[in-house]
Amino acid sequence: RKEVEQDPGPFNVPEGATVAFNCTYSNSASQSFFWYRQDCRKEPKLLMSVYSSGNEDGRFTAQLNRASQYISLLIRDSKLSDSATYLCVVPPGSARQLTFGSGTQLTVLP
Amino acid sequence: DTAVSQTPKYLVTQMGNDKSIKCEQNLGHDTMYWYKQDSKKFLKIMFSYNNKELIINETVPNRFSPKSPDKAHLNLHINSLELGDSAVYFCASSPRLAGNPEQFFGPGTRLTVL
């Protein structure tokens, strides 16, 4: 199993839709997880951190399932501005570096 | 008042040339990184420096040599450029090596080797 795996998409959804992405990880020792957002031709930026079972920030909810070793990102009421690539990020047990997933591309359509 | 800046933003060069990319952060962070993002958008760490000390050196050809003159700067020098070096190179910084892995990225340097 790869260290971090994501469905590359693309996910094309209409405005207002709810969309969810999953990310699986291989290192059971990982304690914290992150979702970064990368707009086209821009740098990645931190979107959300997940330290326990989950985290919610407005329309965005991140959940962690340690037993199955996956994290998910749910976006409700999608906006055009949500169009981006969403990167799942997992620190290894030593937390010396981050491992980035290959990203899930989301396009929200008018 | 850019937090993490990189120069140049675009770099087009011939195979075999030597080039450098510069990175500076004004966040007061202790740790800086270089990442390579290839055409498939995979973001892979190359190097990490903590307080000017090399901490992480992934399996990167030794044609790539990072240099950190102080903890606010991390430059990347590439010798004998090859076609496969074409990618976007991102510099990043974080407050410390472990415990707070939020990283702040520079805008990237798009390198094209012809």
Side-chain angles (χ1 to χ4, degrees):
Chain A
R1 182 189 238 183
K2 285 185 182 174
E3 286 186 77
V4 181
E5 279 198 89
Q6 292 184 249
D7 181 345
F11 284 66
N12 298 318
V13 303
E15 257 187 302
T18 295
V19 61
F21 315 132
N22 278 346
C23 167
T24 58
Y25 61 94
S26 61
N27 187 348
S28 59
S30 296
Q31 295 296 311
S32 51
F33 306 85
F34 306 88
W35 285 101
Y36 276 67
R37 170 193 168 132
Q38 186 173 21
D39 292 323
C40 187
R41 300 179 78 86
K42 297 284 189 181
E43 70 273 22
K45 291 184 180 176
L46 180 66
L47 177 67
M48 293 186 77
S49 306
V50 188
Y51 292 105
S52 55
S53 61
N55 190 10
E56 185 172 327
D57 182 4
R59 298 182 294 108
F60 297 81
T61 300
Q63 290 192 312
L64 167 63
N65 184 318
R66 287 191 192 276
S68 302
Q69 293 184 210
Y70 76 83
I71 60 172
S72 62
L73 178 68
L74 180 79
I75 306 175
R76 289 181 295 276
D77 188 23
S78 301
K79 312 288 185 196
L80 295 177
S81 58
D82 294 334
S83 297
T85 296
Y86 291 84
L87 304 166
C88 170
V89 183
V90 178
S94 65
R96 288 169 69 88
Q97 65 190 71
L98 301 183
T99 300
F100 283 79
S102 55
T104 298
Q105 186 181 336
L106 171 66
T107 302
V108 181
L109 305 167
Chain B
D1 57 348
T2 306
V4 182
S5 59
Q6 292 179 230
T7 53
K9 193 167 182 180
Y10 299 95
L11 187 51
V12 181
T13 189
Q14 301 282 340
M15 264 197 321
N17 284 349
D18 303 337
K19 290 293 178 187
S20 291
I21 308 172
K22 295 187 176 181
C23 178
E24 176 181 0
Q25 54 96 3
N26 62 7
L27 297 166
H29 288 169
D30 287 337
T31 309
M32 295 185 72
Y33 311 82
W34 276 110
Y35 286 88
K36 177 181 179 180
Q37 189 169 44
D38 60 26
S39 57
K40 294 184 179 176
K41 307 299 182 189
F42 218 152
L43 196 64
K44 290 210 72 173
I45 190 161
M46 300 173 69
F47 301 102
S48 169
Y49 269 72
N50 190 55
N51 272 323
K52 302 193 298 172
E53 181 188 347
L54 179 64
I55 299 298
I56 295 169
N57 182 355
E58 290 298 307
T59 50
V60 176
N62 57 16
R63 297 182 295 105
F64 291 79
S65 51
K67 281 192 172 45
S68 182
D70 54 62
K71 75 173 194 179
H73 295 84
L74 180 61
N75 303 324
L76 183 65
H77 187 76
I78 315 170
N79 288 326
S80 304
L81 278 155
E82 300 178 356
L83 294 177
D85 297 333
S86 296
V88 182
Y89 291 84
F90 286 102
C91 175
S93 73
S94 65
R96 50 193 177 277
L97 189 58
N100 180 5
E102 178 179 1
Q103 295 185 9
F104 296 79
F105 284 80
T109 295
R110 189 169 296 271
L111 171 65
T112 303
V113 182
L114 303 174

